[in-house]
Structure formats: structure tokens, C-alpha cells
Amino acid sequence: MKIGNIDLGERPVMLAPMEDVTDPSFRLMCRQQGANLVYTEFVSAEALVRNISSTARKLTINEAERPVAIQIYGPEAEAMVEAAKMVEQAGPDIIDINFGCPVKKVARKGAGAGMLRDIPKLLDITKRVVEAVSLPVTVKTRLGWTHEEIIINELAPRLQDCGIKALTVHGRTRSQMYTGDADWDPIGALKRDPRIEIPIIGNGDITTPEKAVAAFDKYGVDGIMVGRASFGAPWIFREIREMLDTGRVEPVSVAEKFELLRRQLRESVERIDEIRGILHIRRHLAATPLFKGLPDFRQTRIALLRATTENEILKIFDEIEEKYFNEEGK
């Protein structure tokens, strides 16, 4: 599969753009674990144009994480065009436009999935961004605003006509947010549409290697994107890649998983500072499947999420590994 001249190989697996999750350290880790393409946190066009320092820092790219896409969002064409030009100077491989974020603070301003309520404006922004930059431009969006407004199969050809090089579709509507099951049938129908020539990437509920294989085999997508299933589990990309390439998965050892969590913690603290780095990493610690189903774990989980120093968390990791994984972990 290619996006422009970026060759991602056969059946590529991508790390989805996620606010407060896909920082440079996590992106690099996921690339090293087998992700074929990684996306930055989404970048507010308006904040970037206003030179907000916290937003500008999101453009930082590590050469080792390539290929990498920077994703932008915003409700106004002028700011989106200017932001796209600024992003191009940061040197990503791809510029992605977010027309899919469902959270209220974004959508109610007409950005993200909110743009699905104004298709002429959505198409105008897309066309103008494509014309403003020389890098490949892609779009990530949802099926529609509600179940009564599933529009992706008519929207996709129009986006293609704007000049985008790939389209990612999350199999939910905006009204669903992240609830219920992702519906891949419209994504599969899109792949069968003879009008569509650009790659179609499917997103939503890819939580296991088996589901990744099914997404390719059943729906015929060109690539898949993994989001929330990567929280506290960057090794999911290694497992999916092995299943796609060999038909089997070599289990990642508990010791390796703990080492990856320790690395996430260490690099988060180094990148920001101890207090904010720990706050940033808590989403991963709360969601990691490594701790799912452990008996009598509630108090340990509370202690882990209340810890305020790196050493305190590392000590709890050691205690968990010794108590629950002593034989396997070693």
C-alpha cells in the first residue's frame, strides 16, 4: 500500500492519532514494535497559527519514527491552510486532516466530526489544504453524524476528487462517540465501490491480532489503524504484525511488557517533568491489559494511579511482577 510515494508495505498497521497519547516517545516505541505508520496527536490549526508553544511542540518528529503523519484540525479554511504550510516545514511524511474527532469541545466548534454537518465547507478545506502543500494529504473521518446520516459512501469519492491520497474511516458515527461496536460494513462497501481508487484504511475495535486479520480478509481494506487498544500495550503492533505475516503469534513475555511500561514511564518523565510526566502516563497504566484480571488488584491499582514519583511507580511495578508473574516474568 502506498500513500503518495510512501510505501507502507503489504497490509500495513498504523498507530491512530490520539490526544495526550501519541507523543514522540510512544510513537517511536510503537514503530519499533511493528507499526508501519504513526500519527501525532492532533494539532489545532488555530493554536498553531497563533504560535501557542504547547501546540508547536507537537510538531517535533524523531527521524527514527518515520514514516510519520502530522494531523491537523480546525473549523476555518484560512487557518487550516496556514497550519498545513507550517506543518509541512516541520517535515512529516504525510499531512492528515481530522474530520472525525467526536469530543464536544471540538465538534461543537465545527471542527473534527463537527465538519460532517457542513460538507461543502469540509470539501473546501480539504481541497485548499491539498493545493497548499506538496506533501501527501489524507483524511480521517467517521461514517456520518448519526445512524440516520451515514454519508461516508457518498463523501469518499468527493474527498478523492479533492486530491487526498488515502482515507481512514472509523466505523462509528459521531453520535456513538466510542460506544457500541464499530460497523465495518460501510467500510467494506467503500472498498468495493468502483469509484474509489485511493487506499482505504479501517479503524475501530481492532483489539487483537485475530480482529486485524479479519478486517483485511472480510472487508478488504488496504490498511488498518489501532487506537485505544495500544494504551499501555505498544506490543500489540508486534503481535498483529506477526499474525499477519506468519499466521501465528509468538507471545511477548511479561518481562518485556514490564520493560516497555518502564520505558514509557521513564521517557514521559524525561520529556516533560516528573509530575506532569506521571499524569501523562496514567492513561496507559490504567488501561494496560497486563494488569487485567489480576486477583485482589484493586488496592494496588489505586496505589499505582495515586503514585506521584517515578521511583514509587517503579517499586509498585517490581511488587506486581514479583507477586503475580514471578515465574513467567523471569
Side-chain angles (χ1 to χ4, degrees):
M1 170 186 155
K2 286 187 175 182
I3 297 178
N5 62 354
I6 309 299
D7 191 344
L8 301 176
E10 294 296 320
R11 300 198 291 181
V13 184
M14 305 161 200
L15 171 66
M18 292 175 285
E19 180 70 2
D20 293 327
V21 175
T22 54
D23 58 77
S25 170
F26 188 62
R27 296 196 305 266
L28 178 58
M29 198 176 302
C30 292
R31 277 286 289 134
Q32 292 169 339
Q33 288 293 308
N36 299 91
L37 173 66
V38 294
Y39 289 68
T40 65
E41 303 173 72
F42 63 2
V43 175
S44 165
E46 293 179 348
L48 190 59
V49 170
R50 296 202 317 268
N51 200 30
I52 303 299
S53 59
S54 59
T55 299
R57 283 196 294 271
K58 293 181 179 180
L59 304 186
T60 302
I61 293 171
N62 184 324
E63 286 297 313
E65 67 182 281
R66 293 186 184 279
V68 59
I70 293 180
Q71 187 185 73
I72 59 175
Y73 75 98
E76 302 301 332
E78 290 76 14
M80 287 289 281
V81 167
E82 187 61 29
K85 293 177 180 177
M86 296 172 70
V87 165
E88 185 170 35
Q89 294 303 309
D93 301 284
I94 295 163
I95 297 175
D96 189 68
I97 304 175
N98 182 315
F99 292 141
C101 178
V103 300
K104 186 178 294 185
K105 69 177 182 179
V106 173
R108 71 183 176 188
K109 294 180 180 178
M115 200 63 71
L116 292 169
R117 308 304 298 272
D118 191 344
I119 298 304
K121 191 174 185 181
L122 179 155
L123 294 171
D124 179 59
I125 287 175
T126 304
K127 188 172 188 295
R128 290 177 63 178
V129 168
V130 168
E131 292 173 347
V133 298
S134 59
L135 291 173
V137 175
T138 60
V139 163
K140 186 174 190 289
T141 190
R142 289 185 168 229
L143 301 178
W145 185 257
T146 68
H147 284 294
E148 291 71 40
E149 302 171 271
I150 303 293
I151 62 171
I152 191 61
N153 291 95
E154 291 310 314
L155 176 60
R158 300 176 73 182
L159 285 168
Q160 179 177 263
D161 290 343
C162 290
I164 66 170
K165 300 303 182 183
L167 175 64
T168 300
V169 181
H170 185 122
R172 289 183 173 87
T173 63
R174 188 274 168 178
S175 61
Q176 278 184 276
M177 301 294 286
Y178 296 101
T179 63
D181 295 327
D183 182 3
W184 281 65
D185 286 335
I187 303 174
L190 196 59
K191 269 305 299 176
R192 296 189 297 273
D193 189 328
R195 296 173 296 174
I196 300 300
E197 298 176 354
I198 59 174
I200 299 298
I201 302 160
N203 177 218
D205 295 348
I206 302 295
T207 56
T208 67
E210 291 75 18
K211 288 185 176 182
V213 171
F216 282 109
D217 291 350
K218 183 175 181 180
Y219 300 102
V221 291
D222 299 287
I224 59 171
M225 188 172 282
V226 177
R228 289 171 294 160
S230 69
F231 289 4
W235 54 81
I236 191 173
F237 292 98
R238 191 198 312 183
E239 295 176 340
I240 290 175
R241 189 73 266 155
E242 286 183 353
M243 179 65 82
L244 290 171
D245 292 344
T246 71
R248 60 188 296 273
V249 176
E250 186 69 31
V252 180
S253 72
V254 168
E256 288 179 276
K257 291 177 179 179
F258 268 106
E259 182 51 39
L260 286 168
L261 290 182
R262 290 184 178 100
R263 176 181 164 188
Q264 277 190 263
L265 172 64
R266 181 179 67 254
E267 293 183 357
S268 180
V269 169
E270 290 174 352
R271 184 176 62 90
I272 315 174
D273 58 46
E274 188 165 50
I275 294 175
R276 291 181 299 161
I278 288 171
L279 289 175
H280 175 75
I281 207 69
R282 279 180 181 171
R283 178 177 296 187
H284 292 277
L285 298 181
T288 179
L290 184 56
F291 302 152
K292 290 290 194 311
L294 297 181
D296 303 318
F297 193 70
R298 183 172 180 272
Q299 291 305 315
T300 303
R301 183 182 300 279
I302 291 172
L304 190 63
L305 298 180
R306 286 180 177 175
T308 57
T309 69
E310 181 179 359
N311 285 337
E312 189 177 355
I313 294 176
L314 291 174
K315 181 180 178 182
I316 295 172
F317 280 175
D318 290 343
E319 292 171 352
I320 295 171
E321 195 169 9
E322 178 67 26
K323 179 177 180 180
Y324 294 101
F325 302 106
N326 186 36
E327 292 304 317
E328 184 182 354
K330 295 185 182 305

